[in-house]
Amino acid sequence: MSPLDLARINAEMGHDAQALTRWALGLGQRAIVTTNFRPFEAVILHLVTQVQPDVPVVWMDNGYNTEATYRYADEVTKQLGLNLKIYLPLRSRAHREAVDGPTPALDDPRHAAFTQEVKLEPFARALRETAPQVWFTALRATDSAVRAQMEPVSINPDGLIKVAPLLHWSSKQLHEYCVQHGLPNNFDYVDPTKGEDQRECGLHLAH
């Protein structure tokens, strides 16, 4: 795919999530969709599985999710019949906390290693095992300054085609989509690698 094609696709379909999803899956290449089951994640999962029901859904479960998030994950998985692939850190949360103590603060020098262990290493392992050529993500421009600069379709340095169909959606649009399609939602969500809102987690800086 040439950069010119990318510019055309973003111009023509960047604001049409369904069309962009159909286009990306229509490339006939191995695709995955990543999720963390944060608020409104059911939207991207519904969008993609309506076109390709068996697409691998990759969840890096860091072990620090709320009970509501785990229940939401199960509910969405059952409702949509997701082909869910769960990637866990190599150490359990209990093991990590027994040795290293509680989650390090954002300004703690150990925080980078914590993020590497609970999020980045499991994602690298997921990429090796699923070997995708197309990666769907629920990134939104309002998430952070980094994401505000993104395009709906981009190509990573490693050649992976990254597709963010919901990049330009508002929370109101996401809510209305959930209501229209009878999708559950979850607002009791915490990401221990980010802390405050609007902070980039590292996964999308690295990929």
Side-chain angles (χ1 to χ4, degrees), residues 3-198:
L4 191 63
D5 287 338
L6 268 189
R8 180 178 60 78
I9 290 154
N10 282 316
E12 291 179 2
M13 291 184 268
H15 290 268
D16 187 336
Q18 282 92 345
L20 193 58
T21 300
R22 286 193 300 270
W23 167 81
L25 290 172
L27 294 172
Q29 307 203 56
R30 282 191 307 279
I32 62 167
V33 54
T34 52
T35 184
N36 49 18
F37 292 105
R38 68 173 183 164
F40 302 117
E41 285 288 289
V43 175
I44 187 77
L45 300 173
H46 183 268
L47 264 177
V48 175
T49 57
Q50 289 302 293
V51 182
Q52 184 182 328
D54 65 347
V55 67
V57 175
V58 172
W59 179 26
M60 280 74 68
D61 174 9
N62 55 46
Y64 290 80
N65 288 296
T66 63
E67 288 185 10
T69 298
Y70 286 113
R71 288 194 293 268
Y72 176 60
D74 273 23
E75 186 178 0
V76 175
T77 298
K78 286 174 186 158
Q79 184 169 331
L80 299 180
L82 299 179
N83 178 18
L84 186 64
K85 311 285 187 186
I86 301 175
Y87 285 84
L88 301 164
L90 298 177
R91 289 192 297 175
S92 68
R93 175 177 176 176
H95 183 172
R96 188 180 313 109
E97 292 189 344
V99 176
D100 297 333
T103 307
L106 296 178
D107 58 358
D108 189 314
R110 298 173 303 152
H111 194 272
F114 171 77
T115 300
Q116 176 67 29
E117 181 177 357
V118 304
K119 179 174 283 188
L120 302 184
E121 187 283 327
F123 183 57
R125 197 172 353 122
L127 286 181
R128 286 196 305 272
E129 292 185 9
T130 58
Q133 294 151 306
V134 176
W135 169 24
F136 283 94
T137 168
L139 292 181
R140 290 165 60 209
T142 54
D143 289 340
S144 71
V146 170
R147 298 176 187 188
Q149 304 302 314
M150 288 179 57
E151 293 283 0
V153 182
S154 57
I155 299 181
N156 290 355
D158 57 6
L160 188 61
I161 301 169
K162 186 173 180 177
V163 186
L166 305 176
L167 188 68
H168 298 303
W169 281 38
S170 66
S171 294
K172 181 173 185 286
Q173 286 174 292
L174 293 166
H175 170 72
E176 288 170 351
Y177 187 99
C178 287
V179 171
Q180 179 186 351
H181 296 282
L183 299 172
N185 208 352
N186 168 47
F187 290 102
D188 185 5
Y189 172 79
V190 176
D191 183 340
T193 67
K194 291 174 75 170
E196 71 265 22
D197 289 341
Q198 302 286 324

